Amino acid sequence: MLTVVQAFDRAPIAEVETDDAAALERKLQAAERVFRDRDGWLKPHQRIAILRKLAALMEGRRDHLAMQIAREGGKPLPDAIVETNRAIDGVHNAADELRSFAGREIPMGLSPAAENRWAFTTKEPIGIVAAISAFNHPLNLIVHQVAPAIAVGCPVIVKPAMTTPLSCLDLVALIHEAGLPEPWCQSFVTEENQLAEKLATDRRIAFLSFIGSARVGWSLHAKLAPGARSALEHGGAAPAIVDRSADLDKVIEPVVKGGYYHAGQVCVSTQRIFVHDAIADDFTQRLVARVEKLRTADPTLKDTEVGPLILPREADRVAEWIGDAIKGGAVLATGGERLSQTTLRPAVLLDAPADATISTQEVFGPVVAVYRYGDLDEAVRQANSLPTAFQASVFARDIDVAMHAADRLEASAVMINDPTAFRTDWMPFAGRKESGYGTGGIPYTMRDMTQEKMILLRRS
């Protein structure tokens, strides 16, 4: 049995039964059986109806789902409510996408050999999907992995993070209540890394969706069965450049939101802030003043802005990184104190060494590091200096500066005057270099979970 605890105070919430190797084999066999039976595949209108009913069921349990996110994952309740709303909209998004989800005509007659032929493609589900998820968005990430699979007709086996399995289990139960037969969507709960790897790399798996550490994700990617596709979503140390033309009255709030949303436990959290010398003192003073006002407390309270880290050892690690940066010459402008086993006061570091861990690795905690620059291209060079790359930000009123930086930043998305953590669930979302593989976002995942088949008709 797995004991699920509250992230904030470690109080037990529930006991969850775990799966073993025999359970995994039963679930793989069930998924393979329904996928091989083409006559039993659900029609698009049936899948749409199931997704619409699922969204309605989620609406009815909105408050429960949001509070559960806050309790097991530690996300402040206001943000957990937003996550729940996004998850409901994501289910609708997958259903909506089916209205235009189609193949294409392939031109024929372009050479004598291609005369009197008509060709077109259809989209077919790729096969069984293995979805391995993360704790930081325990409901919405599952929706991102599972709703596209349901929409296109792939059986899916989803393994939640062991710290936050309840949101996943609730969603899977609601999916079955909405009318999807159980073999088409199954949960797999295990604390054994070997079993998780067995799920991901089984020869029957056609698509792996993995959200988590780069070390694990790239290792699994290398072991996939021949022909299997994958989508990997890892993290980075997202940079934000603040130009001297930026309106500081409008910059601080998005920077703070980007850096401290969910205590920085987001793969595109703002971590490295490069500020022009001309405004660095003013910016830092304003940033520190705002960070010191953040309400850090129990995430189930309605006015909490920053909650805990997911585990005590993560709080230990972040505190150690802060201490190492200070030993290397960084200045701690505010924060960093331990408030509980899992909670740290949001911190701001100034002028951390370029080789400090905080400057080179993803902190995944409530810390930002501020660096001064005089030349824009040098700031871009520093922003691009890591082997990770995901989303980035530029804050500037000078459009030439903004576009110059946006053109040169190594990122899959550059936000101008918005935080690095901005995301809508229908936009493309992708890590570059070590930060990921493939493109997330519900419509994009649906495309990756299908393959085109061409049908050619020769006319007499």
Side-chain angles (χ1 to χ4, degrees):
M1 296 291 287
L2 171 70
T3 301
V4 183
V5 302
Q6 294 191 145
F8 180 67
D9 60 9
R10 315 297 294 162
I13 305 173
E15 296 285 329
V16 174
E17 195 169 330
T18 56
D19 293 305
D20 58 15
L24 174 58
E25 180 58 28
R26 287 195 303 271
K27 293 180 182 196
L28 284 165
Q29 287 181 8
E32 184 180 37
R33 185 167 56 252
V34 293
F35 187 69
R36 285 185 176 277
D37 178 18
R38 289 199 171 220
D39 291 336
W41 286 7
L42 297 174
K43 302 294 188 288
H45 70 87
Q46 294 174 304
R47 288 179 255 136
I48 289 172
I50 288 168
L51 290 167
R52 297 291 189 215
K53 186 172 181 182
L54 170 61
L57 291 170
M58 293 170 70
E59 287 268 10
R61 303 204 70 196
R62 184 195 306 266
D63 292 345
H64 163 79
L65 292 170
M67 183 58 75
Q68 189 151 270
I69 291 167
R71 293 183 71 197
E72 67 173 348
K75 181 176 288 185
L77 185 58
D79 294 326
I81 292 169
V82 171
E83 178 178 342
T84 304
N85 291 336
R86 284 178 58 185
I88 294 167
D89 185 65
V91 174
H92 281 301
N93 187 185
D96 291 342
E97 189 68 17
L98 283 174
R99 292 190 175 277
S100 57
F101 199 71
R104 57 201 172 95
E105 183 176 356
I106 306 299
M108 290 289 128
L110 302 181
S111 70
E115 288 181 358
N116 298 319
R117 288 167 177 83
W118 176 46
F120 60 92
T121 66
T122 61
K123 287 185 177 289
E124 294 187 337
I126 192 171
I128 302 172
V129 172
I132 298 178
S133 207
F135 76 86
N136 53 340
H137 307 287
L139 179 64
N140 200 37
L141 288 181
I142 302 290
V143 165
H144 271 258
Q145 295 171 296
V146 169
I150 295 171
V152 302
C154 288
V156 57
I157 301 173
V158 56
K159 179 201 168 299
M162 288 302 90
T163 47
T164 56
L166 302 180
S167 296
C168 174
L169 294 176
D170 273 0
L171 180 68
V172 172
L174 291 176
I175 289 168
H176 297 157
E177 187 179 342
L180 188 72
E182 184 174 345
W184 288 95
C185 181
Q186 303 172 88
S187 61
F188 181 65
V189 180
T190 182
E191 296 182 273
E192 297 183 38
N193 292 335
Q194 283 184 321
L195 281 182
E197 180 175 320
K198 182 170 173 50
L199 165 65
T201 60
D202 188 274
R203 61 170 180 78
R204 290 161 288 192
I205 296 299
F207 188 94
L208 169 65
S209 172
F210 178 87
I211 303 172
S213 80
R215 180 185 60 82
V216 175
W218 286 110
S219 173
L220 292 177
H221 177 79
K223 298 174 183 177
L224 294 180
R229 295 180 188 169
S230 69
L232 310 179
E233 186 179 308
H234 307 315
I241 294 175
V242 184
D243 180 59
R244 60 183 164 186
S245 70
D247 183 347
L248 292 186
D249 290 333
K250 297 179 180 178
V251 166
I252 300 302
E253 284 301 320
V255 165
V256 169
K257 188 66 175 178
Y260 301 99
Y261 168 71
H262 199 5
Q265 297 170 113
V266 180
C267 58
V268 287
S269 287
T270 305
Q271 181 172 328
R272 299 174 297 147
I273 307 172
F274 302 93
V275 186
H276 195 282
D277 279 328
I279 61 165
D281 292 340
D282 192 7
F283 171 87
T284 301
Q285 188 176 30
R286 293 180 186 224
L287 175 66
V288 169
R290 178 65 184 94
V291 170
E292 289 179 343
K293 291 179 181 178
L294 287 171
R295 293 182 295 277
T296 306
D298 184 336
T300 64
L301 302 178
K302 292 182 179 179
D303 63 350
T304 296
E305 293 177 287
V306 179
L309 295 169
I310 191 64
L311 290 168
R313 69 168 180 262
E314 290 302 305
D316 292 341
R317 177 187 57 78
V318 174
E320 183 180 331
W321 286 21
I322 292 171
D324 289 346
I326 294 169
K327 289 176 186 175
V331 174
L332 179 63
T334 190
E337 308 98 300
R338 194 70 166 262
L339 302 179
S340 76
Q341 273 189 290
T342 52
T343 311
L344 295 172
R345 194 175 300 282
V348 177
L349 287 166
L350 308 180
D351 302 316
D355 60 352
T357 311
I358 197 75
S359 301
T360 58
Q361 296 184 35
E362 180 182 28
V363 65
F364 224 60
V367 187
V368 301
V370 180
Y371 312 83
R372 305 169 77 106
Y373 76 89
D375 178 72
L376 178 61
D377 286 331
E378 175 58 22
V380 171
R381 187 197 67 76
Q382 290 182 56
N384 291 343
S385 64
L386 303 184
T388 55
F390 214 140
Q391 296 192 165
S393 287
V394 181
F395 292 90
R397 283 182 290 188
D398 185 328
I399 190 63
D400 289 336
V401 168
M403 293 308 299
H404 181 90
D407 284 344
R408 288 160 177 76
L409 282 166
E410 292 181 8
S412 58
V414 178
M415 313 302 169
I416 297 176
N417 297 324
D418 244 339
T420 60
F422 178 84
R423 183 182 187 184
T424 64
D425 299 293
W426 56 88
M427 77 186 211
F429 190 72
R432 291 186 176 181
K433 299 195 283 189
E434 292 181 9
S435 291
Y437 183 78
T439 303
I442 286 169
Y444 300 88
T445 300
M446 288 172 63
R447 293 172 204 171
D448 285 347
M449 288 181 178
T450 57
Q451 48 196 353
E452 285 194 323
K453 174 187 283 183
M454 192 187 78
I455 298 173
L456 184 142
L457 173 67
R458 182 174 183 176
R459 301 196 298 267
S460 59

mmCIF file of all heavy atoms in Angstrom, residues 303-346:
data_model
loop_
_atom_site.group_PDB
_atom_site.id
_atom_site.type_symbol
_atom_site.label_atom_id
_atom_site.label_comp_id
_atom_site.label_asym_id
_atom_site.label_seq_id
_atom_site.Cartn_x
_atom_site.Cartn_y
_atom_site.Cartn_z
ATOM 1 N N ASP A 303 -5.933 32.502 0.733
ATOM 2 C CA ASP A 303 -5.081 33.647 0.437
ATOM 3 C C ASP A 303 -3.606 33.282 0.320
ATOM 4 O O ASP A 303 -2.745 34.153 0.217
ATOM 5 C CB ASP A 303 -5.262 34.743 1.489
ATOM 6 C CG ASP A 303 -4.846 34.287 2.885
ATOM 7 O OD1 ASP A 303 -4.607 33.072 3.074
ATOM 8 O OD2 ASP A 303 -4.757 35.147 3.783
ATOM 9 N N THR A 304 -3.278 31.993 0.310
ATOM 10 C CA THR A 304 -1.877 31.570 0.167
ATOM 11 C C THR A 304 -1.407 31.794 -1.270
ATOM 12 O O THR A 304 -2.103 31.464 -2.219
ATOM 13 C CB THR A 304 -1.724 30.094 0.554
ATOM 14 O OG1 THR A 304 -2.046 29.946 1.933
ATOM 15 C CG2 THR A 304 -0.304 29.609 0.314
ATOM 16 N N GLU A 305 -0.203 32.353 -1.405
ATOM 17 C CA GLU A 305 0.387 32.580 -2.727
ATOM 18 C C GLU A 305 1.524 31.608 -3.024
ATOM 19 O O GLU A 305 1.754 31.269 -4.188
ATOM 20 C CB GLU A 305 0.914 34.025 -2.821
ATOM 21 C CG GLU A 305 -0.181 35.076 -2.790
ATOM 22 C CD GLU A 305 0.394 36.470 -2.802
ATOM 23 O OE1 GLU A 305 0.955 36.889 -1.759
ATOM 24 O OE2 GLU A 305 0.283 37.158 -3.840
ATOM 25 N N VAL A 306 2.243 31.175 -2.005
ATOM 26 C CA VAL A 306 3.347 30.229 -2.173
ATOM 27 C C VAL A 306 3.167 29.116 -1.155
ATOM 28 O O VAL A 306 3.003 29.378 0.047
ATOM 29 C CB VAL A 306 4.718 30.902 -1.982
ATOM 30 C CG1 VAL A 306 5.845 29.876 -2.132
ATOM 31 C CG2 VAL A 306 4.896 32.036 -2.974
ATOM 32 N N GLY A 307 3.189 27.889 -1.631
ATOM 33 C CA GLY A 307 3.037 26.734 -0.758
ATOM 34 C C GLY A 307 4.351 26.000 -0.570
ATOM 35 O O GLY A 307 5.441 26.557 -0.784
ATOM 36 N N PRO A 308 4.274 24.724 -0.224
ATOM 37 C CA PRO A 308 5.474 23.953 0.081
ATOM 38 C C PRO A 308 6.120 23.364 -1.161
ATOM 39 O O PRO A 308 5.548 23.379 -2.257
ATOM 40 C CB PRO A 308 4.922 22.834 0.958
ATOM 41 C CG PRO A 308 3.551 22.592 0.388
ATOM 42 C CD PRO A 308 3.032 23.955 0.009
ATOM 43 N N LEU A 309 7.298 22.825 -0.970
ATOM 44 C CA LEU A 309 7.883 21.924 -1.942
ATOM 45 C C LEU A 309 7.291 20.537 -1.717
ATOM 46 O O LEU A 309 6.702 20.256 -0.678
ATOM 47 C CB LEU A 309 9.401 21.905 -1.811
ATOM 48 C CG LEU A 309 10.069 23.249 -2.160
ATOM 49 C CD1 LEU A 309 11.527 23.237 -1.743
ATOM 50 C CD2 LEU A 309 9.939 23.553 -3.624
ATOM 51 N N ILE A 310 7.434 19.676 -2.682
ATOM 52 C CA ILE A 310 6.700 18.415 -2.651
ATOM 53 C C ILE A 310 7.210 17.456 -1.579
ATOM 54 O O ILE A 310 6.438 16.683 -1.010
ATOM 55 C CB ILE A 310 6.708 17.741 -4.051
ATOM 56 C CG1 ILE A 310 5.723 16.569 -4.097
ATOM 57 C CG2 ILE A 310 8.116 17.319 -4.433
ATOM 58 C CD1 ILE A 310 4.280 16.961 -3.910
ATOM 59 N N LEU A 311 8.512 17.509 -1.249
ATOM 60 C CA LEU A 311 9.097 16.583 -0.274
ATOM 61 C C LEU A 311 10.117 17.319 0.601
ATOM 62 O O LEU A 311 10.757 18.280 0.138
ATOM 63 C CB LEU A 311 9.818 15.431 -0.993
ATOM 64 C CG LEU A 311 8.945 14.411 -1.737
ATOM 65 C CD1 LEU A 311 9.824 13.538 -2.625
ATOM 66 C CD2 LEU A 311 8.153 13.560 -0.752
ATOM 67 N N PRO A 312 10.336 16.879 1.825
ATOM 68 C CA PRO A 312 11.370 17.497 2.666
ATOM 69 C C PRO A 312 12.744 17.512 2.011
ATOM 70 O O PRO A 312 13.490 18.488 2.145
ATOM 71 C CB PRO A 312 11.352 16.630 3.934
ATOM 72 C CG PRO A 312 9.953 16.102 4.008
ATOM 73 C CD PRO A 312 9.563 15.861 2.572
ATOM 74 N N ARG A 313 13.085 16.433 1.317
ATOM 75 C CA ARG A 313 14.422 16.390 0.709
ATOM 76 C C ARG A 313 14.583 17.444 -0.386
ATOM 77 O O ARG A 313 15.696 17.893 -0.658
ATOM 78 C CB ARG A 313 14.732 14.997 0.178
ATOM 79 C CG ARG A 313 13.932 14.537 -1.023
ATOM 80 C CD ARG A 313 14.532 13.260 -1.620
ATOM 81 N NE ARG A 313 13.792 12.791 -2.776
ATOM 82 C CZ ARG A 313 12.870 11.838 -2.745
ATOM 83 N NH1 ARG A 313 12.558 11.245 -1.595
ATOM 84 N NH2 ARG A 313 12.246 11.463 -3.845
ATOM 85 N N GLU A 314 13.482 17.847 -1.027
ATOM 86 C CA GLU A 314 13.569 18.907 -2.028
ATOM 87 C C GLU A 314 13.832 20.250 -1.352
ATOM 88 O O GLU A 314 14.593 21.077 -1.871
ATOM 89 C CB GLU A 314 12.288 18.954 -2.858
ATOM 90 C CG GLU A 314 12.113 17.772 -3.784
ATOM 91 C CD GLU A 314 13.271 17.627 -4.763
ATOM 92 O OE1 GLU A 314 13.572 18.598 -5.480
ATOM 93 O OE2 GLU A 314 13.909 16.552 -4.779
ATOM 94 N N ALA A 315 13.204 20.475 -0.197
ATOM 95 C CA ALA A 315 13.492 21.701 0.550
ATOM 96 C C ALA A 315 14.942 21.706 1.031
ATOM 97 O O ALA A 315 15.624 22.745 1.007
ATOM 98 C CB ALA A 315 12.535 21.830 1.727
ATOM 99 N N ASP A 316 15.443 20.538 1.453
ATOM 100 C CA ASP A 316 16.855 20.420 1.843
ATOM 101 C C ASP A 316 17.765 20.808 0.684
ATOM 102 O O ASP A 316 18.737 21.559 0.859
ATOM 103 C CB ASP A 316 17.177 18.980 2.250
ATOM 104 C CG ASP A 316 16.486 18.538 3.535
ATOM 105 O OD1 ASP A 316 16.046 19.405 4.300
ATOM 106 O OD2 ASP A 316 16.388 17.310 3.739
ATOM 107 N N ARG A 317 17.449 20.286 -0.492
ATOM 108 C CA ARG A 317 18.298 20.533 -1.670
ATOM 109 C C ARG A 317 18.306 22.016 -2.045
ATOM 110 O O ARG A 317 19.384 22.600 -2.283
ATOM 111 C CB ARG A 317 17.795 19.701 -2.851
ATOM 112 C CG ARG A 317 18.555 19.932 -4.143
ATOM 113 C CD ARG A 317 17.908 19.221 -5.310
ATOM 114 N NE ARG A 317 16.511 19.606 -5.517
ATOM 115 C CZ ARG A 317 16.134 20.755 -6.105
ATOM 116 N NH1 ARG A 317 17.040 21.617 -6.530
ATOM 117 N NH2 ARG A 317 14.854 21.028 -6.253
ATOM 118 N N VAL A 318 17.137 22.639 -2.095
ATOM 119 C CA VAL A 318 17.069 24.047 -2.482
ATOM 120 C C VAL A 318 17.813 24.913 -1.468
ATOM 121 O O VAL A 318 18.559 25.833 -1.846
ATOM 122 C CB VAL A 318 15.605 24.501 -2.638
ATOM 123 C CG1 VAL A 318 15.536 26.002 -2.898
ATOM 124 C CG2 VAL A 318 14.931 23.735 -3.777
ATOM 125 N N ALA A 319 17.650 24.622 -0.183
ATOM 126 C CA ALA A 319 18.375 25.375 0.846
ATOM 127 C C ALA A 319 19.883 25.215 0.665
ATOM 128 O O ALA A 319 20.652 26.182 0.840
ATOM 129 C CB ALA A 319 17.945 24.900 2.237
ATOM 130 N N GLU A 320 20.315 24.022 0.310
ATOM 131 C CA GLU A 320 21.739 23.778 0.077
ATOM 132 C C GLU A 320 22.242 24.579 -1.122
ATOM 133 O O GLU A 320 23.340 25.155 -1.070
ATOM 134 C CB GLU A 320 21.964 22.283 -0.151
ATOM 135 C CG GLU A 320 23.411 21.891 -0.342
ATOM 136 C CD GLU A 320 23.582 20.398 -0.561
ATOM 137 O OE1 GLU A 320 22.752 19.619 -0.049
ATOM 138 O OE2 GLU A 320 24.541 20.015 -1.261
ATOM 139 N N TRP A 321 21.458 24.633 -2.200
ATOM 140 C CA TRP A 321 21.862 25.406 -3.374
ATOM 141 C C TRP A 321 21.998 26.895 -3.023
ATOM 142 O O TRP A 321 22.923 27.565 -3.504
ATOM 143 C CB TRP A 321 20.852 25.225 -4.502
ATOM 144 C CG TRP A 321 20.915 23.888 -5.176
ATOM 145 C CD1 TRP A 321 21.446 22.732 -4.692
ATOM 146 C CD2 TRP A 321 20.401 23.578 -6.475
ATOM 147 N NE1 TRP A 321 21.295 21.715 -5.598
ATOM 148 C CE2 TRP A 321 20.658 22.203 -6.704
ATOM 149 C CE3 TRP A 321 19.742 24.304 -7.445
ATOM 150 C CZ2 TRP A 321 20.292 21.560 -7.878
ATOM 151 C CZ3 TRP A 321 19.364 23.661 -8.626
ATOM 152 C CH2 TRP A 321 19.644 22.300 -8.834
ATOM 153 N N ILE A 322 21.069 27.400 -2.222
ATOM 154 C CA ILE A 322 21.154 28.806 -1.808
ATOM 155 C C ILE A 322 22.436 29.027 -1.008
ATOM 156 O O ILE A 322 23.179 29.990 -1.242
ATOM 157 C CB ILE A 322 19.912 29.197 -0.979
ATOM 158 C CG1 ILE A 322 18.650 29.193 -1.851
ATOM 159 C CG2 ILE A 322 20.099 30.581 -0.344
ATOM 160 C CD1 ILE A 322 17.353 29.358 -1.068
ATOM 161 N N GLY A 323 22.707 28.129 -0.061
ATOM 162 C CA GLY A 323 23.923 28.255 0.740
ATOM 163 C C GLY A 323 25.185 28.187 -0.097
ATOM 164 O O GLY A 323 26.133 28.962 0.124
ATOM 165 N N ASP A 324 25.219 27.295 -1.075
ATOM 166 C CA ASP A 324 26.397 27.180 -1.943
ATOM 167 C C ASP A 324 26.607 28.456 -2.755
ATOM 168 O O ASP A 324 27.752 28.894 -2.948
ATOM 169 C CB ASP A 324 26.246 25.984 -2.882
ATOM 170 C CG ASP A 324 26.378 24.651 -2.164
ATOM 171 O OD1 ASP A 324 26.852 24.649 -1.010
ATOM 172 O OD2 ASP A 324 26.005 23.618 -2.760
ATOM 173 N N ALA A 325 25.513 29.050 -3.245
ATOM 174 C CA ALA A 325 25.632 30.292 -4.028
ATOM 175 C C ALA A 325 26.190 31.412 -3.163
ATOM 176 O O ALA A 325 27.051 32.196 -3.605
ATOM 177 C CB ALA A 325 24.273 30.679 -4.603
ATOM 178 N N ILE A 326 25.746 31.491 -1.910
ATOM 179 C CA ILE A 326 26.229 32.534 -1.003
ATOM 180 C C ILE A 326 27.715 32.336 -0.708
ATOM 181 O O ILE A 326 28.512 33.287 -0.710
ATOM 182 C CB ILE A 326 25.400 32.530 0.299
ATOM 183 C CG1 ILE A 326 23.950 32.946 -0.004
ATOM 184 C CG2 ILE A 326 26.013 33.463 1.335
ATOM 185 C CD1 ILE A 326 23.000 32.720 1.153
ATOM 186 N N LYS A 327 28.108 31.086 -0.494
ATOM 187 C CA LYS A 327 29.537 30.806 -0.272
ATOM 188 C C LYS A 327 30.375 31.216 -1.475
ATOM 189 O O LYS A 327 31.543 31.596 -1.333
ATOM 190 C CB LYS A 327 29.741 29.311 -0.009
ATOM 191 C CG LYS A 327 29.214 28.840 1.335
ATOM 192 C CD LYS A 327 29.375 27.331 1.484
ATOM 193 C CE LYS A 327 28.726 26.817 2.755
ATOM 194 N NZ LYS A 327 28.777 25.333 2.840
ATOM 195 N N GLY A 328 29.789 31.152 -2.675
ATOM 196 C CA GLY A 328 30.516 31.518 -3.886
ATOM 197 C C GLY A 328 30.518 33.005 -4.171
ATOM 198 O O GLY A 328 31.109 33.442 -5.166
ATOM 199 N N GLY A 329 29.844 33.786 -3.337
ATOM 200 C CA GLY A 329 29.871 35.233 -3.515
ATOM 201 C C GLY A 329 28.532 35.880 -3.795
ATOM 202 O O GLY A 329 28.442 37.116 -3.873
ATOM 203 N N ALA A 330 27.468 35.101 -3.955
ATOM 204 C CA ALA A 330 26.149 35.676 -4.189
ATOM 205 C C ALA A 330 25.646 36.376 -2.927
ATOM 206 O O ALA A 330 26.032 36.036 -1.810
ATOM 207 C CB ALA A 330 25.160 34.597 -4.615
ATOM 208 N N VAL A 331 24.765 37.339 -3.131
ATOM 209 C CA VAL A 331 24.134 38.055 -2.023
ATOM 210 C C VAL A 331 22.697 37.579 -1.907
ATOM 211 O O VAL A 331 21.958 37.575 -2.898
ATOM 212 C CB VAL A 331 24.170 39.579 -2.248
ATOM 213 C CG1 VAL A 331 23.381 40.300 -1.152
ATOM 214 C CG2 VAL A 331 25.607 40.078 -2.300
ATOM 215 N N LEU A 332 22.310 37.158 -0.714
ATOM 216 C CA LEU A 332 20.912 36.782 -0.473
ATOM 217 C C LEU A 332 20.151 38.040 -0.103
ATOM 218 O O LEU A 332 20.299 38.572 1.002
ATOM 219 C CB LEU A 332 20.823 35.742 0.649
ATOM 220 C CG LEU A 332 19.415 35.271 1.014
ATOM 221 C CD1 LEU A 332 18.745 34.558 -0.159
ATOM 222 C CD2 LEU A 332 19.455 34.357 2.237
ATOM 223 N N ALA A 333 19.335 38.536 -1.027
ATOM 224 C CA ALA A 333 18.605 39.789 -0.808
ATOM 225 C C ALA A 333 17.408 39.602 0.100
ATOM 226 O O ALA A 333 17.028 40.527 0.823
ATOM 227 C CB ALA A 333 18.155 40.368 -2.153
ATOM 228 N N THR A 334 16.805 38.423 0.049
ATOM 229 C CA THR A 334 15.678 38.125 0.926
ATOM 230 C C THR A 334 15.375 36.639 0.883
ATOM 231 O O THR A 334 15.724 35.946 -0.072
ATOM 232 C CB THR A 334 14.408 38.907 0.513
ATOM 233 O OG1 THR A 334 13.404 38.753 1.529
ATOM 234 C CG2 THR A 334 13.837 38.428 -0.809
ATOM 235 N N GLY A 335 14.724 36.140 1.927
ATOM 236 C CA GLY A 335 14.181 34.791 1.929
ATOM 237 C C GLY A 335 15.188 33.693 2.204
ATOM 238 O O GLY A 335 16.307 33.917 2.664
ATOM 239 N N GLY A 336 14.723 32.460 1.921
ATOM 240 C CA GLY A 336 15.550 31.282 2.080
ATOM 241 C C GLY A 336 15.375 30.580 3.406
ATOM 242 O O GLY A 336 15.846 29.441 3.569
ATOM 243 N N GLU A 337 14.674 31.196 4.378
ATOM 244 C CA GLU A 337 14.508 30.552 5.680
ATOM 245 C C GLU A 337 13.576 29.352 5.573
ATOM 246 O O GLU A 337 12.625 29.348 4.806
ATOM 247 C CB GLU A 337 13.929 31.521 6.714
ATOM 248 C CG GLU A 337 14.666 32.827 6.844
ATOM 249 C CD GLU A 337 14.001 33.931 6.051
ATOM 250 O OE1 GLU A 337 13.879 33.791 4.811
ATOM 251 O OE2 GLU A 337 13.595 34.925 6.668
ATOM 252 N N ARG A 338 13.831 28.357 6.393
ATOM 253 C CA ARG A 338 12.989 27.157 6.449
ATOM 254 C C ARG A 338 11.787 27.465 7.338
ATOM 255 O O ARG A 338 11.944 27.814 8.508
ATOM 256 C CB ARG A 338 13.818 26.002 7.002
ATOM 257 C CG ARG A 338 13.231 24.620 6.834
ATOM 258 C CD ARG A 338 13.264 24.202 5.371
ATOM 259 N NE ARG A 338 13.009 22.781 5.210
ATOM 260 C CZ ARG A 338 13.976 21.863 5.050
ATOM 261 N NH1 ARG A 338 15.243 22.229 5.041
ATOM 262 N NH2 ARG A 338 13.659 20.595 4.870
ATOM 263 N N LEU A 339 10.586 27.324 6.790
ATOM 264 C CA LEU A 339 9.370 27.591 7.539
ATOM 265 C C LEU A 339 8.717 26.309 8.045
ATOM 266 O O LEU A 339 7.940 26.345 9.002
ATOM 267 C CB LEU A 339 8.375 28.368 6.674
ATOM 268 C CG LEU A 339 8.872 29.713 6.130
ATOM 269 C CD1 LEU A 339 7.793 30.356 5.271
ATOM 270 C CD2 LEU A 339 9.273 30.638 7.269
ATOM 271 N N SER A 340 8.993 25.197 7.388
ATOM 272 C CA SER A 340 8.490 23.891 7.817
ATOM 273 C C SER A 340 9.348 22.835 7.142
ATOM 274 O O SER A 340 10.297 23.160 6.422
ATOM 275 C CB SER A 340 7.014 23.707 7.432
ATOM 276 O OG SER A 340 6.885 23.429 6.051
ATOM 277 N N GLN A 341 9.004 21.571 7.329
ATOM 278 C CA GLN A 341 9.756 20.495 6.676
ATOM 279 C C GLN A 341 9.865 20.705 5.171
ATOM 280 O O GLN A 341 10.887 20.384 4.559
ATOM 281 C CB GLN A 341 9.059 19.160 6.931
ATOM 282 C CG GLN A 341 9.444 18.451 8.205
ATOM 283 C CD GLN A 341 8.846 17.054 8.222
ATOM 284 O OE1 GLN A 341 7.634 16.892 8.347
ATOM 285 N NE2 GLN A 341 9.691 16.058 8.089
ATOM 286 N N THR A 342 8.808 21.223 4.575
ATOM 287 C CA THR A 342 8.751 21.307 3.113
ATOM 288 C C THR A 342 8.666 22.732 2.588
ATOM 289 O O THR A 342 8.609 22.918 1.371
ATOM 290 C CB THR A 342 7.525 20.530 2.591
ATOM 291 O OG1 THR A 342 6.364 20.986 3.288
ATOM 292 C CG2 THR A 342 7.690 19.037 2.801
ATOM 293 N N THR A 343 8.679 23.724 3.473
ATOM 294 C CA THR A 343 8.396 25.090 3.038
ATOM 295 C C THR A 343 9.583 26.014 3.273
ATOM 296 O O THR A 343 10.159 26.047 4.368
ATOM 297 C CB THR A 343 7.168 25.647 3.777
ATOM 298 O OG1 THR A 343 6.110 24.696 3.709
ATOM 299 C CG2 THR A 343 6.699 26.954 3.149
ATOM 300 N N LEU A 344 9.925 26.781 2.231
ATOM 301 C CA LEU A 344 10.973 27.801 2.309
ATOM 302 C C LEU A 344 10.372 29.163 2.002
ATOM 303 O O LEU A 344 9.483 29.272 1.144
ATOM 304 C CB LEU A 344 12.084 27.517 1.299
ATOM 305 C CG LEU A 344 12.929 26.259 1.482
ATOM 306 C CD1 LEU A 344 13.841 26.064 0.279
ATOM 307 C CD2 LEU A 344 13.750 26.352 2.761
ATOM 308 N N ARG A 345 10.878 30.188 2.663
ATOM 309 C CA ARG A 345 10.455 31.531 2.300
ATOM 310 C C ARG A 345 11.051 31.884 0.939
ATOM 311 O O ARG A 345 12.226 31.620 0.689
ATOM 312 C CB ARG A 345 10.900 32.541 3.352
ATOM 313 C CG ARG A 345 10.216 33.897 3.202
ATOM 314 C CD ARG A 345 10.588 34.845 4.334
ATOM 315 N NE ARG A 345 10.205 34.344 5.643
ATOM 316 C CZ ARG A 345 8.967 34.370 6.134
ATOM 317 N NH1 ARG A 345 7.973 34.851 5.387
ATOM 318 N NH2 ARG A 345 8.720 33.906 7.335
ATOM 319 N N PRO A 346 10.263 32.440 0.012
ATOM 320 C CA PRO A 346 10.773 32.759 -1.321
ATOM 321 C C PRO A 346 12.035 33.611 -1.256
ATOM 322 O O PRO A 346 12.115 34.573 -0.483
ATOM 323 C CB PRO A 346 9.606 33.519 -1.962
ATOM 324 C CG PRO A 346 8.393 32.999 -1.257
ATOM 325 C CD PRO A 346 8.833 32.757 0.150
#
